[in-house]
Amino acid sequence: MPSAPLPENEQARLEAVHRLPLETSDHDLFRPLTRLVARHFDVPMATVTLVDEQCQCFIAPQGPLGAGTERSISFCAHALARPDELLIIEDATADPRFTDNPLVLDEPGIRFYAGIPLTPEPGLAVGNLCIIDTQPRRFRSEEATDLREFGEIATSLLREYLARRDLGHSRSALDAQGQRLAAVLETAAAGIIQIDHTGHIEQFNSAAERLFDYPADQVLGHNVSMLMPSRWAHEHDDYLRHYRETGQARVIGSGREVEGLRRDGSTFPMQLAVSEVRIEEQPHYIGIVTDLTDLRESQRRELAEAERANRAKSEFLSNMSHELRTPLNSILGFSQLMRADRAHPLPERQQRQVEHIERSGHHLLALINDILDLSRIEAGQIALSLEPTDPAMTLAECRGMIEGAASERGIQLDFPPPEPALPAVQADRTRLKQVLLNLFSNAIKYNRDEGIVRVHVTPMPDGRVEFRVRDTGLGIPEDRRAELFRPFSRLGHETGAIQGSGIGLVITRELVRHMGGELEYRSQEGEGTEFFFTLPMTSAAERPATQEHTTRSLDDAPRTDLCRRVLYVEDNPANVSLMQEILALRDGIELQTAGSAEEGLMLARENPPDLVIMDIHLPGMSGTAAARLLRARPETREVPIIALSADATREAVDDGNQNPDFVTYFTKPLDIARFLAALDPLLEPRADRTDADDYTR
């Protein structure tokens, strides 16, 4: 890391620095300025610096800067040799002077820096007024002009500090300092207004004249409340009196966004930073005013653009889900039919091959779901419904789903007993189940054969419930733990036999955070890994009524002598073929198909069916709109409609389940057994029907 060049007048410069022994209490003089500068340039860090032989000191720093740094790593030190020039570093990682600087490599992670040398004495740069960002950025010429203006204000404050401290200065020096300050005030880009302790205006610079559209002579001597809308103006004098009597400040010594009142009665947003100074033992107040109109308009445009981008991303996610799930519907659907066909059973070898196809299809489906979840989380679009949730019931459901995988490897599942009952937690039922299934699945996949998965759920004294999942696997290597929550990192298992995407833990941690917890872990190589998190307790969860369903095979259909007409509206030929094969498992079904909603409506009007199976994403009119029209027609008003969709986003599924036009809603790829379980009761005579929702929602 190259050292900063020393100024030719370094000794004189250091003497000037030592004439500025600022105490911590003196930082308040500069704090409104640094706050205003940080807000004006929309940066996380801004400060005034003083640089001596060994270190640089931060004056009124904004952001995570601390008190100072060594001079050897100071950015500001590079600007001292050229006190009339700005030092602008648009990307520190691309500048050889700073690529290996600890302030770049470590906290605070500087990427952008712009500083203007401060010369309270001519030619002697004692430090800088600088702005810092953790992202690279371009620095426009107008921004450079603004920074110079703020630098002049900072310089004038340093000069004023010197003047106030050095009572031995001659009157002529004080007059010169006043003239310089007046020049700065008049040329500054920000509006500067000085008032006395009663609130009457004493100074009103040119920028303030432009902002408020008042000439100075029309405001000097008047109360500053004339520049405020009425809702603030009537409180101003009371506020000043209260501050003088109690010392309690709301604006003085800090910054605040308020509204200004122009001469024509219009208002504008402005940032107001106020500092107190004492002149001849009387308090006076200096307000620095920045017009925020352009900034607010820019933010409005950026917000509109961000909303447009989010809408585009949501549409992309929905379309991607549809496009990927549509072919998977055929792959998984036909493989289910082939594997379960009792009339034409496959030879054992082909049966194993079909099982491989089906497992791979489900693995691809899980990967698609994970990628969509991760994309929604990164876009801030993850939607949760927090409600009282019974942990015991959730654990029981999850256990039933993982017992098969554990049994294949001889892994023992050590779950807590169902009694005594656990307290309810505030959580999203579906997402909590997703979190636990991911942790259980990992504990099985990365365990040793004949290992153990231990699950503990414990009410805590702080009103939370702790969940712990521990395996007896190999543990996480010390040198790979930094990658644990990195998307798509498999920690060295990329080429192994264990399937996975490397994003399940990332999603799990974010879901836990969205439910008010934090996912943590402990691991010891050779002994295993334990993941744990807590969720807040809440009032008892309502246990949904338990419904017993008989598991039946695909061809275990109710016997009927009736011929039932089914209309399937679907534009994808492969999906039509799959539905023909599925319904062929049932006797007495006459299937009609339509490739568009318009064609389906025409067929339903000409010959009303007993059941409609409606795809949602259709060319032209959507399936949702078509279902609404079927419900509006007397001849089809009572016909049950099953919705099918390849859009499995949470929002789409919730909308489908809540749509009164559908008796039930399925997502592709279809689980054929569940689909037939919902279909069969809908094809029974109306008096004998059971609720298809029992099998779906």
Side-chain angles (χ1 to χ4, degrees):
M1 181 175 66
S3 300
L6 288 176
E8 294 180 357
N9 58 353
E10 175 67 359
Q11 187 57 41
R13 192 196 70 79
L14 289 173
E15 292 173 359
V17 172
H18 294 314
R19 285 193 289 272
L20 290 165
L22 293 175
E23 303 293 338
T24 302
S25 59
D26 296 318
H27 289 207
D28 290 340
L29 181 65
F30 299 87
R31 205 173 305 281
L33 176 62
T34 55
R35 282 202 184 102
L36 176 63
V37 169
R39 188 180 294 270
H40 179 80
F41 291 100
D42 192 23
V43 294
M45 291 167 278
T47 188
V48 172
T49 67
L50 295 178
V51 182
D52 64 14
E53 300 94 323
Q54 302 295 330
C55 64
Q56 69 172 349
C57 174
F58 295 147
I59 307 300
Q62 303 299 311
L65 288 173
T69 70
E70 296 177 2
R71 178 173 176 170
S72 60
I73 62 172
S74 166
F75 279 54
C76 295
H78 288 263
L80 301 178
R82 297 184 176 181
D84 298 323
E85 297 179 14
L86 290 174
L87 175 62
I88 300 173
I89 311 298
E90 295 186 336
D91 186 354
T93 62
D95 191 314
R97 294 174 295 176
F98 305 104
T99 52
D100 57 348
N101 190 301
L103 300 178
V104 175
L105 299 177
D106 301 315
E107 297 294 330
I110 296 174
R111 294 295 179 271
F112 168 83
Y113 170 95
I116 177 70
L118 305 180
T119 54
E121 298 179 45
L124 300 178
V126 297
N128 289 261
L129 171 65
C130 61
I131 57 175
I132 299 169
D133 203 342
T134 57
Q135 300 292 330
R137 61 186 284 177
R138 298 299 302 271
F139 200 60
R140 303 188 307 273
S141 59
E142 57 267 34
E143 291 179 308
T145 300
D146 290 348
L147 186 57
R148 287 185 181 276
E149 297 280 1
F150 283 116
E152 291 176 358
I153 295 174
T155 298
S156 70
L157 291 175
L158 287 173
R159 290 171 179 162
E160 182 176 337
Y161 173 80
L162 286 170
R164 289 165 54 193
R165 288 192 75 256
D166 192 357
L167 298 179
H169 281 181
S170 64
R171 185 67 180 178
S172 60
L174 291 174
D175 290 343
Q177 180 69 17
Q179 292 172 3
R180 287 194 296 271
L181 179 58
V184 170
L185 293 176
E186 288 306 305
T187 57
I192 300 176
I193 304 170
Q194 180 178 311
I195 62 174
D196 63 16
H197 66 283
T198 65
H200 290 83
I201 300 172
E202 298 177 315
Q203 291 192 44
F204 198 74
N205 76 341
S206 297
E209 290 181 319
R210 292 191 297 271
L211 288 175
F212 293 93
D213 194 28
Y214 275 108
D217 58 6
Q218 291 188 16
V219 298
L220 293 176
H222 292 270
N223 195 290
V224 73
S225 60
M226 69 180 292
L227 306 177
M228 306 173 187
S230 58
R231 60 181 177 277
W232 285 313
H234 72 278
E235 299 177 357
H236 183 261
D237 288 345
D238 290 339
Y239 168 69
L240 274 182
R241 182 167 51 254
H242 177 75
Y243 171 69
R244 290 196 306 271
E245 293 172 355
T246 67
Q248 297 177 355
R250 288 178 300 192
V251 178
I252 295 172
S254 63
R256 184 179 181 184
E257 186 175 328
V258 295
E259 284 189 357
L261 180 66
R262 297 190 182 95
R263 180 166 57 172
D264 62 4
S266 62
T267 60
F268 64 98
M270 68 182 196
Q271 179 68 24
L272 173 64
V274 180
S275 60
E276 179 183 5
V277 296
R278 300 192 72 83
I279 303 174
E280 297 180 351
E281 300 304 319
Q282 287 292 330
H284 296 255
Y285 307 97
I286 298 174
I288 301 176
V289 177
T290 303
D291 188 350
L292 299 179
T293 302
D294 292 342
L295 177 62
R296 290 288 167 267
E297 178 61 24
S298 175
Q299 290 175 337
R300 187 195 64 77
R301 290 194 300 268
E302 290 174 359
L303 179 60
E305 177 62 22
E307 291 174 348
R308 186 201 64 76
N310 278 338
R311 286 194 300 270
K313 187 165 187 177
S314 296
E315 292 172 4
F316 168 75
L317 292 175
S318 176
N319 292 335
M320 188 175 81
S321 174
H322 180 272
E323 294 302 321
L324 293 175
R325 285 172 173 270
T326 297
L328 272 178
N329 189 49
S330 297
I331 294 170
L332 291 175
F334 282 113
S335 63
Q336 290 176 73
L337 291 173
M338 293 173 66
R339 182 170 51 80
D341 190 346
R342 291 184 178 179
H344 305 91
L346 295 173
E348 183 179 349
R349 181 168 174 267
Q350 292 182 356
Q351 184 83 3
R352 289 197 305 270
Q353 292 170 346
V354 171
E355 289 174 356
H356 279 299
I357 293 172
E358 191 171 354
R359 278 198 301 269
S360 297
H362 282 295
H363 173 63
L364 181 57
L365 178 62
L367 178 60
I368 292 169
N369 290 337
D370 283 349
I371 291 174
L372 293 175
D373 271 346
L374 182 61
S375 298
R376 282 192 290 268
I377 288 171
E378 290 176 343
Q381 296 175 342
I382 194 73
L384 278 77
S385 176
L386 300 180
E387 57 187 342
T389 301
D390 185 345
M393 291 189 66
T394 305
L395 288 170
E397 292 176 12
C398 293
R399 180 170 187 164
M401 299 175 71
I402 64 168
E403 282 180 331
S407 177
E408 287 181 4
R409 299 187 56 202
I411 292 175
Q412 176 185 343
L413 298 179
D414 181 8
F415 272 59
E419 298 297 338
L422 292 167
V425 295
Q426 187 76 358
D428 183 295
R429 297 174 190 265
T430 302
R431 296 302 189 179
L432 177 58
K433 185 175 176 181
Q434 180 180 350
V435 165
L436 293 173
L437 281 174
N438 181 270
L439 296 179
F440 297 159
S441 174
N442 284 349
I444 293 171
K445 287 193 299 185
Y446 298 103
N447 213 326
R448 56 179 172 82
D449 291 341
E450 309 297 330
I452 302 174
V453 174
R454 290 188 171 90
V455 180
H456 296 281
V457 182
T458 309
M460 306 299 285
D462 61 355
R464 300 178 71 84
V465 175
E466 182 183 64
F467 296 77
R468 288 182 175 269
V469 180
R470 181 177 178 82
D471 63 56
T472 54
L474 297 178
I476 302 169
E478 185 75 34
D479 60 346
R480 305 302 294 266
R481 293 181 185 179
E483 306 172 37
L484 185 60
F485 295 106
R486 185 179 302 166
F488 303 105
S489 174
R490 297 285 316 283
L491 306 185
H493 294 279
E494 292 81 0
T495 58
I498 301 175
Q499 290 186 332
S501 63
I503 57 178
L505 271 181
V506 180
I507 295 169
T508 297
R509 181 175 66 171
E510 292 303 316
L511 291 177
V512 170
R513 284 177 174 174
H514 279 74
M515 292 187 288
E518 185 67 36
L519 182 65
E520 301 177 80
Y521 75 97
R522 296 190 186 97
S523 185
Q524 187 167 350
E525 292 188 59
E527 295 190 11
T529 302
E530 182 180 48
F531 285 90
F532 53 95
F533 64 92
T534 65
L535 294 177
M537 291 184 197
T538 186
S539 55
E542 180 180 348
R543 289 177 176 258
T546 303
Q547 298 167 344
E548 298 292 336
H549 303 306
T550 302
T551 302
R552 59 173 109 179
S553 64
L554 300 188
D555 54 359
D556 185 13
R559 297 185 179 276
T560 177
D561 297 326
L562 298 174
C563 179
R564 313 293 286 171
R565 290 190 301 275
V566 175
L567 173 61
Y568 181 35
V569 185
E570 169 65 72
D571 64 312
N572 185 285
N575 287 337
V576 172
S577 298
L578 176 62
M579 188 60 68
Q580 290 171 337
E581 295 293 334
I582 294 172
L583 296 186
L585 298 171
R586 297 294 183 257
D587 296 330
I589 291 182
E590 177 187 330
L591 177 64
Q592 278 187 302
T593 63
S596 67
E598 292 81 2
E599 182 184 359
L601 291 171
M602 181 185 69
L603 292 175
R605 182 172 58 249
E606 294 174 352
N607 191 8
D610 297 296
L611 173 68
V612 174
I613 303 172
M614 181 75 70
D615 185 59
I616 298 300
H617 291 272
L618 295 167
M621 183 187 298
S622 71
T624 303
R628 191 180 309 117
L629 291 177
L630 289 173
R631 285 282 179 259
R633 294 176 176 174
E635 65 271 20
T636 55
R637 182 172 297 144
E638 301 300 323
V639 176
I641 304 172
I642 294 178
L644 297 184
S645 176
D647 185 353
T649 59
R650 177 73 172 268
E651 296 79 5
V653 172
D654 287 346
D655 289 345
N657 283 326
Q658 295 169 13
N659 190 328
D661 297 331
F662 302 132
V663 294
T664 189
Y665 182 97
F666 280 94
T667 59
K668 302 171 186 176
L670 275 178
D671 181 330
I672 295 177
R674 287 183 61 247
F675 176 73
L676 288 175
L679 180 79
D680 290 339
L682 294 175
L683 293 177
E684 295 173 358
R686 186 157 300 163
D688 300 332
R689 285 183 186 171
T690 57
D691 191 352
D693 284 358
D694 292 349
Y695 299 91
T696 57
R697 298 183 186 175

